[in-house]
Amino acid sequence: MPLIPEEPQIHEKAQGPRATPASGRTAPTPRPVPGPRPVPGPRPAAPPRPGRPGPLRPTPPAQRTSRDAAPAKPGPSGPATPAATPAGPQIQLIPASPEGALDAAEEAVDLLLDSGRTPGDVLVVTTGEPHPWAAHELSFGDAAYWAQHDAGDDVFYADAAVVERAAARPVVVVALNGGPESAVVTALSAARSRAGALLIVCGDPQRINPVLDASA
């Protein structure tokens, strides 16, 4: 009778991995597969920067009402009166040498006429040689010369020796084109008293200022 071979016994160690984990240990959780990262949208625009502040304006003082207004202090002989404004024309000095003073005066007259002054508003005074216009008019006689002055429709040129006879005009221009110191003093003092709005003096300021200060 043939022998039946015994079936081989499978040892426990030769068995494959167990389907279930050992007691007390859990199987690791599988990691999720990362998907595609979302693409960020456009960044929001930054708010506009404020401009530079302009110059600070002083805050005007609060206006007083009639109830809290300070009363005017009465003077020694009655109620207070408003302060008087300084009288006299505005003075403009144009530095010039005696040789260039007449030309500077002519330029000043041209600027006055270009700015809207009428010729009859202007009186020009010289301290040295007379202006050529004055010399020309005086060649027709003293009466014809002053008739031009009385008409008042053109620029009038007068020498320091006769300026005190001239009438007042809105603008007086003085040219220190030579002459003695007495002529300068006479011309400046007479011109200042006859200038209604503006006195223009063409010459050396160191020579002009002491005379004007003395006649103020």
Side-chain angles (χ1 to χ4, degrees), residues 177-195:
N177 60 332
E181 192 66 22
S182 59
V184 175
V185 174
T186 300
L188 290 178
S189 59
R192 189 170 193 170
S193 63
R194 284 158 177 77

Side-chain angles (χ1 to χ4, degrees), residues 85-181:
T85 57
Q90 179 183 356
I91 299 176
Q92 179 180 354
L93 302 182
I94 300 178
S97 64
E99 295 77 16
L102 195 58
D103 290 338
E106 285 294 316
E107 293 179 1
V109 172
D110 291 340
L111 291 175
L112 290 169
L113 299 180
D114 292 341
S115 65
R117 287 284 182 182
T118 60
D121 288 345
V122 184
L123 169 65
V124 179
V125 183
T126 57
T127 60
E129 291 293 329
H131 189 275
W133 182 91
H136 174 74
E137 292 298 324
L138 284 170
S139 65
F140 295 100
D142 191 72
Y145 172 74
W146 288 106
Q148 294 286 342
H149 167 270
D150 296 339
D153 54 1
D154 202 354
V155 180
F156 190 77
Y157 297 85
D159 184 74
V162 299
V163 66
E164 293 182 350
R165 184 176 172 181
R169 293 201 177 189
V171 183
V172 178
V173 181
V174 180
L176 271 63
N177 60 332
E181 192 66 22

Side-chain angles (χ1 to χ4, degrees), residues 24-94:
R25 297 179 63 185
T26 58
T29 304
R31 295 181 180 179
V33 178
R37 294 184 180 179
V39 179
R43 297 178 61 182
R49 296 178 61 184
R52 296 181 61 183
L56 298 179
R57 296 184 180 179
T59 303
Q63 297 180 354
R64 291 187 176 185
T65 61
S66 58
R67 179 176 299 178
D68 58 359
K73 294 182 180 181
S77 60
T81 56
T85 57
Q90 179 183 356
I91 299 176
Q92 179 180 354
L93 302 182
I94 300 178

